[in-house]
Amino acid sequence: MTYENLDAKLVNALLGDGRASLRSLAEELDVSVTTVSNHLSDLEDEGVIEGYTPRVDYDAVGYDVTAVIQLQVEGNALPDVTETLRDHQQMTSVYEVTGDYDVIAIGKFKNTDGMNDQIKQLLTDPDIKASNTSVVLNTVSENEQFELEVDDA
């Protein structure tokens, strides 16, 4: 087998099973265990693979309220506001965006009362000019990861 696209195929295999052994990856990709080990080490060193972590079903552990929070922020305060949100335990994603709002944050909460309290606490920041919060009614798809494209040449 050629090593063309091997890194992408290795990443995709790990996305399917992050606990796969080097041996099973080697068999799936039709390369040696040493080749898988070397490529995996390179991907880790290059920061392509940042770690191995479980995928948590937050609903199953009681965090069944998801909020999408949009914030307008004073320009010079944007780094401070995004850092505060990033460090907030229940914020799963924080984005700086273009458009009417400057920041979009996604949070997971155990109930609407807890969500309400936490959002009100965040909104006491005087650098937040305006906000809009939406509660997710139904999660259709929630994937932080997707398979990489592999060129079939």
Side-chain angles (χ1 to χ4, degrees), residues 19-153:
R19 296 175 49 169
S21 68
L22 294 177
R23 182 176 308 285
S24 68
L25 290 167
E27 288 173 5
E28 180 179 339
L29 300 173
D30 194 28
V31 296
S32 72
V33 172
T34 302
T35 298
V36 169
S37 178
N38 290 340
H39 280 258
L40 192 55
S41 292
D42 290 345
L43 289 168
E44 291 168 349
D45 291 345
E46 294 166 6
V48 174
I49 295 177
E50 296 179 338
Y52 302 87
T53 184
R55 287 185 255 176
V56 176
D57 179 348
Y58 287 102
D59 287 350
V61 293
Y63 290 87
D64 56 355
V65 177
T66 302
V68 179
I69 304 161
Q70 300 173 314
L71 303 172
Q72 288 180 351
V73 179
E74 290 294 337
N76 60 349
L78 189 58
D80 293 335
V81 170
T82 54
E83 184 176 335
T84 297
L85 289 166
R86 185 191 69 216
D87 293 342
H88 195 280
Q89 179 181 350
Q90 291 171 262
M91 293 299 158
T92 59
S93 303
V94 178
Y95 305 98
E96 291 182 10
V97 298
T98 61
D100 293 335
Y101 293 91
D102 304 303
V103 177
I104 295 177
I106 313 295
K108 301 282 190 179
F109 304 91
K110 288 194 172 195
N111 54 51
T112 54
D113 290 337
M115 175 195 69
N116 191 32
D117 292 344
Q118 303 247 357
I119 291 172
K120 284 181 179 176
Q121 180 183 359
L122 289 170
L123 296 181
T124 60
D125 187 327
D127 291 320
I128 296 175
K129 299 187 297 187
S131 70
N132 179 37
T133 301
S134 299
V135 175
V136 173
L137 297 177
N138 181 36
T139 302
V140 177
S141 176
E142 192 169 59
N143 295 316
E144 292 182 11
Q145 303 188 17
F146 56 91
E147 285 196 4
L148 303 179
E149 291 183 22
V150 177
D151 295 328
D152 293 324

